[in-house]
Amino acid sequence: MTSPRNYIESARAELPAPVLAGWASIFFSLAVLTFLISLTVSQTFLAAAAVAYGAHVLRTRTVPHFPPVKLSLALFCLFSILSIFWAENPAVGWFAVRKLVLFLILLLSANLVASPRHLKLLFQGLFLEAALVGLVAVFQFARQYQIGSALPPGQVYVYMRQARAHGLMGHWMNFGGQQMLAFAAFVAFLLLAARQRKIWWMIGGIVAVSIVLNFSRGIWLGSFVACIYLVARWRPRWLWLLPVFLVALYFTSPNLIRERLLSVLHPTTDPSVAIRFEMWRVGWRMIQSHPFLGVGPNNIPETYALYLPPGETPIVGYHDHLHDDFLQFGAERGLPCLIAWLWLMGGLGWHTLRIRRGIIRGDPHAAQAWIADAAFACLLAFLTEGCFEFNFGTSPVLMVFLFIASTPFVVERAERLSNNPPRVGESQVP
């Protein structure tokens, strides 16, 4: 395993030569390495990276490279902004629009990650970070369980469902979504990159345990779907073992885990299940009433009660969003915005697989193919969990997703530069 000193020296050697681009790359790398620790710190580094890279572009008059999803992304942003002007309360909609600036991650990553080695170091840093916050979550779970175990037997599960491990994030869904994406990329690294040392498997185990203890069923399902894809890429014949593994895991799991899994079969006794059914019905009625521009960003709580059947009151719980990416965009911003978002997600997936095919075609044993598989596995996990949670609207999770989704384009650009090296005096950084 790389020592911290060697890790830092290797990272410094990978920086772009131009001064401003080099600083921008440093700031962006620090942003990635603080994604799971602090939203404020990581966004501050992102802002610094954007300013430094913008100054570099203006100074050198170069054209930045952007992943080939510009049109779908532009339409998604356009319809998001248009939906504000027809909202019940336009003022609250602008907060959602401010999040669109996070898509700069696609641009910054594609231009500031200098090489595949630089990218691998960032991934390894992210994995170590996920393990660190995973350990924090394990201690949080142990402390919460100690408190819950003092309650009457029937109340232990209820308490643990409400007081979940959240790592260094403010909410367990933010922590769980980040860990799910880091775990999917980690599994790709362990299975599909060159043989890894045992220490990396141990670190991956910590991340996996933290996901289990997060107690979020959508996170579990997203992680499992990502693993199905990665096992299919690694050893397709081993797929038949997954059901056996799941059955064995279920019967050897603690009662709390089994009760959490079985709760989906009892929506009348589990508020988190019942409220989702109610939300999805409300979302569908919103789409039927406002198919083109929706009710407006962040206007779900403003109008929620209007779309319930007459005389029915909302189930007590969180109603600020619909716990579903697909319904959320359709109800909040309209069907054109939903179509643009689906196009964006489909484009990221299609280009990721295209890049993977190109890598494998050039070298069936190429060392970088795992990165494309990691990105596609993360996309599958993200969309799967997005059926039960509005993860695209959560900045901490969205930032990790956008970074990992951008990494195949970093590899593609590096391949292109290696085949067409710049002339003497030219920078490899746009």
Side-chain angles (χ1 to χ4, degrees):
M1 185 174 173
T2 306
S3 68
R5 181 175 181 179
N6 291 336
Y7 180 90
I8 294 172
E9 290 177 355
S10 299
R12 289 177 60 186
E14 296 296 330
L15 292 177
V19 175
L20 286 172
W23 277 109
S25 183
I26 290 173
F27 290 139
F28 182 75
S29 300
L30 291 173
V32 172
L33 297 177
T34 52
F35 277 163
L36 312 186
I37 296 175
S38 169
L39 179 63
T40 301
V41 172
S42 61
Q43 289 189 342
T44 300
F45 282 131
L46 277 177
V51 170
Y53 183 64
H56 166 75
V57 169
L58 291 174
R59 182 178 181 180
T60 58
R61 297 182 180 181
T62 54
V63 178
H65 170 69
F66 197 89
V69 291
K70 295 187 286 293
L71 181 56
S72 57
L73 177 57
L75 289 174
F76 172 75
C77 294
L78 173 64
F79 290 125
S80 294
I81 294 172
L82 287 177
S83 65
I84 293 176
F85 296 101
W86 279 267
E88 180 76 17
N89 184 356
V92 300
W94 290 107
F95 178 76
V97 171
R98 289 203 299 269
K99 290 186 178 182
L100 298 177
V101 75
L102 294 178
F103 284 101
L104 280 173
I105 292 173
L106 294 174
L107 174 71
L108 296 174
S109 180
N111 292 277
L112 296 178
V113 180
S115 67
R117 178 168 173 76
H118 183 190
L119 181 58
K120 183 179 179 181
L121 290 171
L122 288 179
F123 265 119
Q124 290 178 332
L126 191 65
F127 299 155
L128 291 172
E129 187 182 350
L132 172 64
V133 297
L135 285 174
V136 173
V138 170
F139 285 115
Q140 289 172 343
F141 180 88
R143 183 182 60 190
Q144 291 157 358
Y145 183 75
Q146 185 179 21
I147 296 172
S149 61
L151 299 172
Q155 296 299 313
V156 177
Y157 170 76
V158 175
Y159 176 78
M160 295 304 296
R161 187 185 68 207
Q162 296 173 345
R164 303 189 211 173
H166 54 79
L168 299 179
M169 292 290 107
H171 195 278
W172 62 74
M173 292 306 299
N174 295 344
F175 167 73
Q178 289 182 328
Q179 290 294 90
M180 175 188 70
L181 295 172
F183 176 72
F186 211 154
V187 173
F189 175 69
L190 293 174
L191 297 183
L192 303 173
R195 176 176 291 185
Q196 305 304 325
R197 297 181 181 179
K198 291 181 180 179
I199 187 66
W200 283 115
W201 287 88
M202 294 172 60
I203 292 171
I206 294 172
V207 179
V209 169
S210 72
I211 289 175
V212 173
L213 299 183
N214 179 244
F215 235 49
S216 298
R217 293 161 303 201
I219 301 296
W220 295 348
L221 182 59
S223 301
F224 179 64
V225 170
C227 287
I228 291 176
Y229 170 78
L230 293 170
V231 171
R233 288 296 191 192
W234 177 55
R235 297 284 192 276
R237 295 180 180 179
W238 286 30
L239 283 174
W240 69 271
L241 285 175
L242 287 178
V244 178
F245 173 76
L246 284 180
V247 171
L249 186 64
Y250 173 78
F251 285 106
T252 57
S253 296
N255 288 333
L256 280 175
I257 302 299
R258 281 183 282 177
E259 189 171 357
R260 186 63 178 158
L261 286 170
L262 292 175
S263 63
V264 298
L265 303 177
H266 307 285
T268 56
T269 58
D270 189 335
S272 65
V273 177
I275 199 172
R276 277 175 169 80
F277 286 132
E278 179 189 89
M279 288 176 174
W280 296 341
R281 290 193 296 267
V282 167
W284 176 239
R285 293 190 185 102
M286 289 178 174
I287 293 173
Q288 289 177 309
S289 299
H290 302 277
F292 298 110
L293 292 171
V295 299
N298 286 344
N299 273 246
I300 298 295
E302 304 271 344
T303 59
Y304 190 90
L306 300 176
Y307 294 91
L308 289 169
E312 185 175 318
T313 57
I315 297 174
V316 176
Y318 186 82
H319 298 91
D320 283 12
H321 58 70
L322 299 176
H323 286 78
D324 184 295
D325 286 337
F326 305 87
L327 277 176
Q328 180 76 22
F329 287 127
E332 189 184 64
R333 310 182 195 188
L335 292 177
C337 188
L338 172 60
I339 293 170
W341 180 76
L342 291 172
W343 184 10
L344 173 62
M345 295 296 101
L348 288 172
W350 188 88
H351 286 291
T352 296
L353 293 179
R354 173 186 60 79
I355 292 169
R356 183 189 183 279
R357 288 193 299 269
I359 295 172
I360 297 298
R361 189 182 303 116
D363 179 4
H365 304 288
Q368 307 307 322
W370 75 270
I371 294 175
D373 284 318
F376 194 77
C378 285
L379 177 65
L380 292 177
F382 189 77
L383 293 178
T384 300
E385 197 239 341
C387 294
F388 309 98
E389 180 63 34
F390 184 38
N391 53 14
F392 203 87
T394 305
S395 296
V397 180
L398 180 60
M399 290 162 65
V400 178
F401 170 74
L402 291 175
F403 166 68
I404 296 177
S406 72
T407 55
F409 304 105
V410 174
V411 175
E412 183 181 45
R413 177 173 162 268
E415 290 284 330
R416 188 177 66 250
L417 288 174
S418 66
N419 295 329
N420 301 282
R423 291 171 295 182
V424 177
E426 273 188 350
S427 169
Q428 292 189 11
V429 177

